[in-house]
Amino acid sequence: MAPGPLAQVLCQLPQFDDPDLLSRSIPFADAGIYRIADDLALVQSVDFFTPVVNDPTAYGRIAAANALSDIYAVGGRPVTALNLASFPRQLEREILIRILEGGAEKVREAGAVIAGGHTVDDEEPKYGLAVTGLVDPRHMVTTVGARHGDLLVLTKPLGTGILASALKKGVVSENEIREAIEGMTRLNRAASRAMMQVGVSACTDVTGFGLLGHAAEMAEASHVCLALEFDKLPLYPGTREMAAEGLIPGGSRKNRQYYLPRVANREELNAEQLDILADPQTSGGLLMAVAPDRLRGLKTAMEKRQVNFWIIGCVEKPQTGLLRID
Ligand code: CO
């Protein structure tokens, strides 16, 4: 759902006040976090969506990498996953098998197991997983904790929403957006391990609300302003060109409507900047706030694991807005 309507629904629901439900006190927590011992908590997350690419196996892999990502964003380790699939009766069953194979492949790579699942008949295919992981709640990383002076690090390029929209309209081929497909398929595991080895102030994964939304959430949760440098944002090849062609996914406009008021200098932004900032990401990277004296350690830990990363801005004191784009 779009961020506005979703927030309106969530705020009307009854709250569970179990003190072990740790995610309740974390603003914008994507995963449910439930403490079962002082040093152990369950991390649970679920996500599913319609195909973003044509190849069924690649779609399965991407959906699984995306579903596992919320576990990695808090520094957790995925343990079990349940498949969620809806599938049209008239489609070849072989397609469903390939989707599930792609998902299983990534779950295996994550060191987790598929413990079961559920399928329903539906007009269009949808696939994703409910994932359960473990984390030490004393060391988990959340949206809370970004501090003035921290640097902002992003571990995957942006543009998957725009490129998937171009693919759907037949403007590009799967081969032409190969890098984005590889990026969406990549687990955030290595980035998460590097993060936990070094210790960072805050982290979230960049998914449906775009960099704009997820950065705004981190800023609000941490009571700071995130200053992003637009020219430093990494983009998958073709993103600018496809955005200029107007291949903007529907979610982009909703993200913009909801989060743009949080940008202090929103009047200065041009259409291209807005299209990229608000672009909903599938299986996006981790956005981390890291103290400057830990940056060198993070760089070493990332390079050792062959994780790409970009420094895209810094954390400032709260200003007139939660975000500033330079
Ligand atoms: Co997330």
Side-chain angles (χ1 to χ4, degrees):
M1 275 178 83
L6 176 62
Q8 280 164 15
V9 169
L10 293 181
C11 76
Q12 290 188 40
L13 297 180
Q15 299 288 319
F16 290 87
D17 56 7
D18 185 331
D20 288 317
L21 183 58
L22 305 179
S23 47
R24 208 183 78 109
S25 54
I26 302 166
F28 315 110
D30 288 339
I33 304 169
Y34 190 80
R35 182 168 51 205
I36 50 177
D38 285 344
D39 60 352
L40 198 61
L42 295 175
V43 192
Q44 298 183 295
S45 184
V46 56
D47 202 352
F48 59 97
F49 43 73
T50 55
V52 285
V53 291
N54 304 321
D55 177 66
T57 313
Y59 165 46
R61 290 182 187 131
I62 292 168
N66 181 77
L68 289 157
S69 179
D70 279 336
I71 313 296
Y72 291 129
V74 296
R77 176 172 67 86
V79 179
T80 62
L82 302 170
N83 282 320
L84 299 165
S86 66
F87 201 71
R89 275 167 208 243
Q90 66 279 11
L91 265 190
E92 283 173 56
R93 213 130 339 126
E94 177 63 21
I95 296 175
L96 178 60
I97 292 170
R98 286 181 57 199
I99 295 170
L100 297 174
E101 278 175 349
E105 196 185 296
K106 295 313 280 188
V107 168
R108 192 181 294 277
E109 185 188 328
V113 296
I114 292 190
H118 184 67
T119 54
V120 289
D121 289 331
D122 196 356
E123 272 150 39
E124 57 181 347
K126 296 184 193 77
Y127 175 61
L129 305 100
V131 184
T132 299
L134 298 173
V135 74
D136 181 340
R138 300 166 306 174
H139 300 297
M140 67 182 179
V141 184
T142 69
T143 49
V144 180
R147 278 172 305 202
H148 175 217
D150 283 351
L151 293 160
L152 295 169
V153 169
L154 182 65
T155 67
K156 284 185 192 178
L158 303 168
T160 65
I162 291 164
L163 295 175
S165 150
L167 180 69
K168 202 168 266 180
K169 300 226 168 78
V171 182
V172 290
S173 67
E174 235 153 50
N175 191 44
E176 285 170 295
I177 63 160
R178 201 173 49 240
E179 275 188 51
I181 294 177
E182 283 166 13
M184 289 189 281
T185 305
R186 200 173 309 129
L187 294 178
N188 281 326
R189 178 177 56 171
S192 174
R193 292 219 174 134
M195 163 176 100
M196 296 310 282
Q197 187 194 325
V198 176
V200 301
S201 310
C203 180
T204 189
D205 60 337
V206 180
T207 50
F209 299 153
L211 180 63
L212 186 70
H214 293 283
E217 289 185 346
M218 182 187 285
E220 190 174 333
S222 295
H223 305 290
V224 290
C225 171
L226 301 198
L228 305 175
E229 289 183 60
F230 185 79
D231 292 339
K232 296 207 172 148
L233 299 181
L235 304 177
Y236 287 115
T239 299
R240 275 176 205 277
E241 293 76 6
M242 293 304 117
E245 298 278 325
L247 294 155
I248 309 301
S252 183
R253 190 174 43 84
K254 295 170 195 158
N255 288 342
R256 196 177 311 189
Q257 272 173 0
Y258 191 69
Y259 292 110
L260 197 57
R262 291 151 171 81
V263 180
N265 63 330
R266 55 191 169 272
E267 270 89 30
E268 296 166 22
L269 301 180
N270 62 40
E272 183 191 53
Q273 290 176 314
L274 290 172
D275 289 341
I276 287 166
L277 289 164
D279 190 44
Q281 301 302 287
T282 298
S283 189
L286 300 182
L287 171 68
M288 306 172 191
V290 58
D293 61 351
R294 297 198 179 192
L295 187 66
R296 185 190 285 268
L298 185 64
K299 191 166 183 278
T300 309
M302 294 277 208
E303 280 166 1
K304 200 177 94 190
R305 294 174 173 80
Q306 292 167 323
V307 181
N308 289 326
F309 69 98
W310 293 264
I311 299 167
I312 61 164
C314 62
V315 179
E316 298 187 341
K317 286 184 190 152
Q319 299 175 353
T320 44
L322 294 170
L323 297 174
R324 210 187 66 228
I325 319 293
D326 294 309

